[in-house]
Every structure is written in structure tokens, then in C-alpha cells.
Amino acid sequence: YPDVAMYYAFLAFLAVAACAARVFPSVGRVLARRVAIPGPWRVVLPGGSADPETKRRPPPYVLYEVGGGTASLGALVLVAAFAALLFCYSRYVYVDHLYQNNAKASTGGGWLDTKGGAWERAARGTGQLANLGLALLLLPIARHSVLTDAFGIAWEQALWAHILLGYFVLACFIVHAGCWFKVYAMLDIFPDDVLEVPMYYPTNGQPKSAGRCADNWTVPLAV
């Protein structure tokens, strides 16, 4: 599948770049060069109401801060490569992939072209993005990785990527489940298909009265 090819192409790019940095010192020096990062940009929450005695408001709470300072050129290359992977991967799983062999999806008239099909495509797409995040989750935290050395990144500095990937995966999990519950509700099989097996889904256009047609244990077990 193209999504698998994209994933391994990303890993191959990292491996080739890391080997080039080790074999050719000039490449390693370029990747380790420090560049200034614009910012910082902050996500700020209000500090609350003013104190009745001093009439002063507490300082705002900085929820998250990014940017400012410097980073290695290799780190920026990694971020750009991941951004390209995420864009291409998302394009494939949300637009190009024909789920359930739905040949009419590209021309109109298929289930995935309906309102319910849009929710199902969102559910399947976020599930695939969660798989991608899980596959990369442990990559930044290896203590003796050639990647961190070659790209001029300390192990401690790579932890932020692990944390952000973790939040990304959890968000994908929540959206994935919510979209599937919406699909089940539109097909009038919620919460049946969440709590019981076998499942009604896929209904294949049949009413609920046609009975259960799928021996799928994954969804009820996950819930």
C-alpha cells in the first residue's frame, strides 16, 4: 500500500541522512549547524480574577511555548521530513484510498460520498494516522541512537517530539472512536455494535432487522 511505502521511505531517508553525516564529516557539520528559530509563540490561559485586596490580577498561565532560541539544521530537516510524510499520508488515507473497495467513491454515488460515508472516512483516516504515530512513537527516545547524533540533537531535546506524538496519537484515538460512534448512530446500530458481538456493521445497505452479519470482535474488545 502507498501508506506503507511512505512510512518506510521516511525511515530510509533518515537512515541515509544519518549515514551520510557519519561518513562525510562536512555533511555532519552542516546538519549540526545552529540556526535561530523565530518566536517564542505561547498558548496562554488567563490567570484568574483580581485579588480583592491588592487589586492585582495573577500572571497568565503559559500552557505551551514553542519557538525562540536555536535548533540544529538537522532538527529542522527532521521536522520538514515528518511534515511531508504527514501531509502525503493524510492525503492518501482521507482522499485517495478506496475503503471497502468502493469503486464509485471517486465518481459519486458510493457510500463514502454520502454524509455517513464522510464520517466513516474520517474515522478510518484518523485510525490510520494513529497507527502512524504509534509506529514512530519510540523513535525519538532511544538513548544511543545514531539519528540524534547525526542530526545534532541531544536525547533530552528529542523528548518533546515523543511527547507531542503521544498527544497526537491520543487525540486521533478519541476522534477515531467518536467518528465511528457517529457512523453507528446514523446506521441505527449504536450502541449495539459497541457492546455486543457479532456486529451489525457492515450493514451493506440492509436494515437492522436483517440481523448481524459480521463476526468482528475488535471494536467491542477495544471499548
Side-chain angles (χ1 to χ4, degrees), residues 14 18 21-22 28 30-34 70-80 139-162:
L14 298 186
R22 283 296 185 92
V30 170
L31 292 178
R33 183 180 302 167
R34 310 296 294 183
T70 62
S72 69
L73 185 60
L76 299 182
V77 170
L78 279 175
V79 172
L139 183 63
I141 59 172
R143 286 184 176 272
H144 303 288
S145 172
V146 66
L147 296 177
T148 55
D149 294 338
F151 287 99
I153 306 171
W155 175 76
E156 294 82 359
Q157 294 173 325
L159 287 180
W160 67 270
H162 172 73

Side-chain angles (χ1 to χ4, degrees), residues 100 111 119-124 126-127 174-187 190 194 201 219:
Q100 297 181 353
W111 159 249
W119 282 100
E120 179 173 338
R121 185 176 289 277
R124 292 179 179 273
T126 50
I174 295 172
V175 176
H176 173 70
C179 289
W180 269 124
F181 292 169
K182 176 66 175 179
V183 171
Y184 295 161
M186 297 179 74
L187 296 174
F190 181 84
V194 179
Y201 182 87
V219 174

Side-chain angles (χ1 to χ4, degrees), residues 29 37 41 78-79 91-92 95-96 109 118 143-144 147 149 192:
R29 287 192 295 268
I37 304 298
W41 293 282
L78 279 175
V79 172
R91 163 76 190 192
Y92 173 72
V95 179
D96 297 329
R143 286 184 176 272
H144 303 288
L147 296 177
D149 294 338
D192 305 68

Side-chain angles (χ1 to χ4, degrees), residues 13-94:
F13 168 77
L14 298 186
V16 170
C19 291
R22 283 296 185 92
V23 175
F24 304 103
S26 58
V27 176
R29 287 192 295 268
V30 170
L31 292 178
R33 183 180 302 167
R34 310 296 294 183
V35 294
I37 304 298
W41 293 282
R42 299 182 177 92
V43 178
V44 180
L45 298 179
S49 58
D51 186 276
E53 296 182 359
T54 62
K55 306 299 183 182
R56 295 180 178 178
R57 298 180 63 87
Y61 175 73
V62 179
L63 183 64
Y64 189 76
E65 179 178 315
V66 64
T70 62
S72 69
L73 185 60
L76 299 182
V77 170
L78 279 175
V79 172
F82 177 74
L85 170 67
L86 192 61
F87 172 80
C88 296
Y89 202 93
S90 300
R91 163 76 190 192
Y92 173 72
V93 299
Y94 283 112

Side-chain angles (χ1 to χ4, degrees), residues 207-221:
K208 185 177 181 180
S209 58
R212 303 176 185 272
C213 61
D215 187 14
N216 187 342
W217 294 75
T218 58
V219 174
L221 281 178

Side-chain angles (χ1 to χ4, degrees), residues 122-141:
R124 292 179 179 273
T126 50
Q128 295 299 321
L129 288 179
N131 288 337
L132 175 64
L134 282 174
L136 298 174
L137 194 58
L138 298 180
L139 183 63
I141 59 172

